[in-house]
């Protein structure tokens, strides 16, 4: 069964510092992976997606993620965060099913 | 173009009453999903509609929950005899490809 694990429930970081939000998945079939961001009192917004091709995926707001099949990971990174990046981040995977599995979320807290 | 819309944005109801939540998907999106998000938690899948196919109801937590969708248009999620544990944000998402999802802002349900 497809499962998605976000290893950190909360990540505090100072403004302009780099950040990595970790995500691991399990799947025995072809896999599609996503990162979504949820700002307070809003729905989820797609940051980036991996369907196939290049393992380095660039998304909106300067975020990128790398699909690593050998480590079954899809970590999200940003070289320099802003206060406005404070939000909840969800990793999701779809191992061939049309019903994606979401991780429990990572709260990114950017301090001035 | 318009995104996914949900109504009402907030709903406060008394325990035991029925509630109906509405979702308007993006035009042309054949897939529609309902999720429940309890405070500080991840997304819990409820139900999935794809075109005119029979919906996947595997995530509905009890027979008090039901949902309908006519064709590729509006969907309604109905919760009968609401309980306090039903308090949550209910998110709707639509998709054209059945992989990448577009979320509405959610309906915050509070059962008193």
């Amino acid at each position: 069964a497809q499962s998605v694990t976000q290893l950190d429930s909360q990540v505090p970081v100072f403004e302009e510092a780099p950040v990595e939000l970790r995500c691991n998945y399990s799947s025995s079939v072809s896999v599609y992976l996503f990162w979504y961001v949820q700002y307070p009192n809003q729905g989820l917004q797609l940051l980036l997606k991996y369907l196939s091709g290049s393992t380095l995926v660039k998304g909106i707001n300067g975020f990128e993620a790398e699909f690593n099949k050998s480590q079954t990971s899809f970590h999200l990174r940003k070289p320099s965060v802003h206060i406005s990046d404070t939000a909840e981040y969800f990793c999701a995977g779809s191992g061939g099913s049309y019903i994606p599995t979401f991780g429990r979320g990572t709260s990114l807290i950017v301090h001035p | 173009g318009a995104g996914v819309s949900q109504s009402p944005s907030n709903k406060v109801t008394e325990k035991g009453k029925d509630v109906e939540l509405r979702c308007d998907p993006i035009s042309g999106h054949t897939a529609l999903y309902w999720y429940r998000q309890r405070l500080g938690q991840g997304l819990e899948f409820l139900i999935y509609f794809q075109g005119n196919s029979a919906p996947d109801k595997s995530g509905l937590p009890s027979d008090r929950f039901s949902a309908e969708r006519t064709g590729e248009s509006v969907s309604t999620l109905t919760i009968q005899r609401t309980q306090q544990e039903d308090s949550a944000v209910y998110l709707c998402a639509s998709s054209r490809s059945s992989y990448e999802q577009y979320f509405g802002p959610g309906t915050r349900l509070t059962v008193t």
Side-chain angles (χ1 to χ4, degrees):
Chain A
Q2 175 80 14
S3 69
V4 174
T5 303
Q6 291 184 244
L7 298 165
D8 307 295
S9 59
Q10 203 172 82
V11 173
V13 64
F14 287 106
E15 193 173 19
E16 297 184 7
V19 71
E20 177 180 86
L21 306 184
R22 297 182 293 169
C23 174
N24 286 89
Y25 67 92
S26 66
S27 177
S28 60
V29 296
S30 60
V31 62
Y32 307 99
L33 294 162
F34 309 85
W35 275 99
Y36 289 87
V37 60
Q38 185 178 34
Y39 298 105
N41 300 313
Q42 295 187 28
L44 278 68
Q45 177 185 359
L46 182 69
L47 270 179
L48 49 79
K49 62 186 176 186
Y50 172 79
L51 302 181
S52 65
S54 173
T55 57
L56 183 62
V57 180
K58 294 189 182 297
I60 62 172
N61 301 341
F63 284 93
E64 63 181 35
E66 185 163 14
F67 171 64
N68 189 318
K69 189 173 182 179
S70 62
Q71 297 186 5
T72 61
S73 68
F74 190 58
H75 301 333
L76 181 70
R77 302 185 181 102
K78 186 170 183 178
S80 176
V81 294
H82 303 289
I83 295 286
S84 59
D85 292 324
T86 295
E88 193 79 14
Y89 291 79
F90 291 94
C91 182
S94 179
S97 164
Y98 289 136
I99 301 171
T101 301
F102 284 81
R104 294 177 63 92
T106 297
S107 178
L108 175 63
I109 303 169
V110 182
H111 297 289
Chain B
V4 178
S5 62
Q6 292 186 245
S7 61
S9 55
N10 281 285
K11 177 71 176 179
V12 180
T13 189
E14 292 180 353
K15 177 182 173 180
K17 295 285 180 70
D18 298 351
V19 295
E20 190 172 277
L21 313 180
R22 176 187 171 106
C23 172
D24 282 87
I26 294 172
S27 178
H29 282 195
T30 57
L32 187 146
Y33 305 75
W34 282 99
Y35 295 90
R36 179 169 68 181
Q37 186 178 29
R38 291 196 166 112
L39 186 64
Q41 310 246 337
L43 273 69
E44 178 185 1
F45 165 74
L46 296 177
I47 188 168
Y48 162 67
F49 295 91
Q50 172 59 270
N52 292 315
S53 302
D56 183 330
K57 305 179 181 180
S58 60
L60 294 178
S62 77
D63 59 8
R64 296 187 296 105
F65 287 72
S66 63
E68 292 184 349
R69 186 186 188 196
T70 304
E72 297 180 1
S73 61
V74 170
S75 175
T76 55
L77 176 69
T78 301
I79 308 173
Q80 296 178 309
R81 305 181 303 281
T82 52
Q83 304 294 314
Q84 287 188 330
E85 61 263 27
D86 298 334
S87 295
V89 175
Y90 289 83
L91 291 166
C92 173
S94 71
S95 174
R96 183 172 51 204
S97 67
S98 291
Y99 288 120
E100 177 181 332
Q101 299 181 325
Y102 294 81
F103 283 81
T107 293
R108 183 176 299 277
L109 175 66
T110 304
V111 182
T112 61

